[in-house]
Amino acid sequence: MGYSVGQVAAFAGVTVRTLHHYDEIGLLSPGERTRAGYRRYAEPDLDRLQRILFYRELGFSLEEIATILDEPGSEPVTHLRRQHELLLRRIGRLQEMVAAVEKAMEAQTMGISLTPQERFEVFGDFDPDEHAQEAEERWGGTDAFEQSRRRTAAYTKEDWLKIQEEAGAVVRDFAAAFEGGVPADGAQAMDVAERHREHISRWFYNCSLEMHRGLSDMYVADPRFAANYEQVAEGLAAYIRDAVHANAERRS
């Protein structure tokens, strides 16, 4: 019996005009027609449409999609595996961008004295200056902001690479404690939290216990910070917050 063009458009979330266009260019021609000449889509047509929409979402042109789908010997499972791999690559790239956001927000707009090439080596293709306005709105005028601006203005590429190395080691140790079942208020987790606070104080601004609490709260409340930790281990952002709070209580 098949499905009408209107039904398929509703199923797929596309317009009737889009389906007509796909038919006109030979990308998706319905396998059936009524006696009156109306298009009727069979199950194989719907499978092909799903693959088309997958590839469109991944940024392929209609011409490229036609070539891929009409490749001799191509099986549906082959397309699914290819799409799965492409999606994983996109996810990986997005995770890299999230990590770059946090690095940039820690270094944000502090007058970083790096050449364009050095910035690329340290931060990848993410430009920390793009977050200048947000940093200024959040912390502009505060002692911590001004202290961090003064300090980081003189940092070299080697300084920034060392900062990244130290910060990465702290995150790895948090993750090891978390995955090892160490409670957030355990000595091991609190010691890592204190190293994190010392890292901030050493490189950016004098981070008090109360300021450290507020920063850890932001790691959970701000999706950009949370995502950076969650890609390491699900639940890590909240674990770090709890360890920071426990460390602050211990040292109060």
Side-chain angles (χ1 to χ4, degrees):
M1 181 175 64
Y3 302 92
S4 70
V5 65
Q7 289 175 312
V8 174
F11 293 158
V14 298
T15 65
V16 169
R17 183 173 180 177
T18 294
L19 294 176
H20 285 173
H21 178 61
Y22 288 173
D23 186 10
E24 290 167 2
I25 65 176
L27 181 61
L28 177 66
S29 297
E32 301 174 2
R33 294 270 181 173
T34 66
R35 291 181 178 179
Y38 293 111
R39 298 171 176 85
R40 302 295 293 186
Y41 292 83
E43 290 297 333
D45 302 324
L46 298 184
D47 290 339
R48 184 177 174 91
L49 176 59
Q50 183 183 47
R51 293 194 290 273
I52 291 169
L53 296 179
F54 264 129
Y55 283 118
R56 286 295 284 164
E57 181 64 25
L58 291 169
F60 287 80
S61 69
L62 295 181
E63 292 78 7
E64 290 171 326
I65 295 171
T67 300
I68 292 170
L69 295 184
D70 295 334
E71 183 180 356
S74 179
E75 298 291 335
V77 68
T78 302
H79 293 292
L80 290 173
R81 286 173 180 160
R82 179 184 291 155
Q83 290 160 357
H84 184 256
E85 180 182 352
L86 291 170
L87 287 169
L88 288 178
R89 289 181 188 174
R90 175 177 285 190
I91 290 170
R93 178 57 183 149
L94 290 174
Q95 288 175 335
E96 290 173 0
M97 292 173 66
V98 168
V101 167
E102 181 169 1
K103 291 174 188 174
M105 290 185 72
E106 287 186 359
Q108 39 200 302
T109 69
M110 304 298 185
I112 300 171
S113 55
L114 301 179
T115 67
Q117 180 179 355
E118 289 173 331
R119 287 190 182 210
F120 185 83
E121 291 176 17
V122 174
F123 298 109
D125 57 3
F126 190 91
D127 183 358
D129 282 345
E130 291 182 3
H131 291 270
Q133 185 175 353
E134 180 178 353
E136 192 75 33
E137 290 174 354
R138 279 199 179 194
W139 300 295
T142 65
D143 292 340
F145 182 89
E146 295 305 323
Q147 185 181 28
S148 186
R149 184 197 296 274
R150 289 193 302 271
R151 287 187 184 182
T152 58
Y155 287 168
T156 64
K157 180 184 77 172
E158 287 70 26
D159 291 326
W160 285 108
L161 291 173
K162 187 173 182 179
I163 290 169
Q164 287 185 239
E165 181 181 353
E166 285 187 11
V170 169
V171 172
R172 288 193 295 273
D173 289 346
F174 266 130
F178 175 61
E179 293 174 344
V182 176
D185 58 357
Q188 180 180 342
M190 290 191 292
D191 287 347
V192 179
E194 181 61 18
R195 279 173 50 209
H196 182 258
R197 187 172 73 91
E198 291 172 351
H199 169 79
I200 296 170
S201 296
R202 179 165 53 255
W203 291 104
F204 298 103
Y205 54 85
N206 296 331
C207 185
S208 67
L209 293 170
E210 193 58 35
M211 291 173 71
H212 201 207
R213 284 178 188 263
L215 188 62
S216 71
D217 289 340
M218 186 175 67
Y219 287 168
V220 176
D222 191 318
R224 293 168 296 185
F225 283 93
N228 193 35
Y229 294 115
E230 294 302 295
Q231 72 171 336
V232 177
E234 187 175 352
L236 184 59
Y239 180 82
I240 292 174
R241 176 201 59 196
D242 295 344
V244 167
H245 278 247
N247 181 61
E249 289 293 333
R250 176 178 65 167
R251 293 179 175 275
S252 296

